[in-house]
Amino acid sequence: MLKKMSEPEDQPFLFELYCGSRMAEVRAWGWDEATLRTFLHMQYSAQSASYRQQYPEAESYIVCQDDQRAGRILIHRMPICIRIVDITILPQFQNQGLGTKLLQTLMEEAREQNLPLRLSVLRTGRALALYERLGFQNAGENDMYLAMEWNHETCKEGDRS
């Protein structure tokens, strides 16, 4: 299900994954295809640089389903928590339980290490309902994002499955 990312051969896939996650939003702006791609490339480069700077020890994995590249997850393991820096699944692989499986695997790791599992999500993002269903709780917020945390000590028994 997870394949350790290798640079630079995975970069074209990661860029297309990023485009897939933003295309619906930016197409609404009415730009031509060349302008969209230029803008998305600039945004992707900025995001990648930001992740490298903020989380230099994070591990990046390609998410696979049935031997196909389906997404990526960036995980930063620290002594105080496990942070999901980024999780992106291609649209054609969404709503099939893949994200749930990934999260449950990390929840089990967090439980075994007695650590909280943390992430940030867009307030308007579709993934928010998934995180809430799995027992993640609001741990702070700003205008755009919610900080969320799952902790095996505070989740309800029903949230563990």
Side-chain angles (χ1 to χ4, degrees), residues 69-96:
R69 292 174 173 205
R72 87 94 176 247
I73 187 167
L74 184 60
I75 306 164
H76 188 212
R77 292 175 173 90
M78 300 173 280
I80 60 167
C81 75
I82 299 171
R83 172 167 299 283
I84 301 171
V85 177
D86 185 50
I87 182 170
T88 307
I89 306 294
L90 286 168
Q92 63 267 33
F93 292 98
Q94 293 175 5
N95 301 312
Q96 298 177 24

Side-chain angles (χ1 to χ4, degrees), residues 92-149:
Q92 63 267 33
F93 292 98
Q94 293 175 5
N95 301 312
Q96 298 177 24
L98 185 56
T100 299
K101 287 180 197 172
L102 286 170
L103 292 166
Q104 288 174 332
T105 299
L106 288 169
M107 290 161 69
E108 183 59 33
E109 178 183 338
R111 180 183 296 117
E112 289 172 0
Q113 295 183 25
N114 197 32
L115 294 172
L117 181 59
R118 296 180 178 153
L119 55 84
S120 293
V121 62
L122 274 171
R123 293 170 153 282
T124 57
R126 290 181 29 213
L128 179 58
L130 169 63
Y131 300 139
E132 289 174 337
R133 180 175 57 83
L134 292 174
F136 283 81
Q137 298 177 351
N138 186 333
E141 54 191 272
N142 63 32
D143 290 342
M144 290 184 60
Y145 293 94
L146 293 176
M148 300 196 80
E149 180 174 292

Side-chain angles (χ1 to χ4, degrees), residues 14 17 47 51 60-63 71-74 86-88:
L14 294 175
L17 179 66
Q47 181 191 66
Y51 287 163
S60 190
Y61 299 92
I62 300 295
V63 178
R72 87 94 176 247
I73 187 167
L74 184 60
D86 185 50
I87 182 170
T88 307

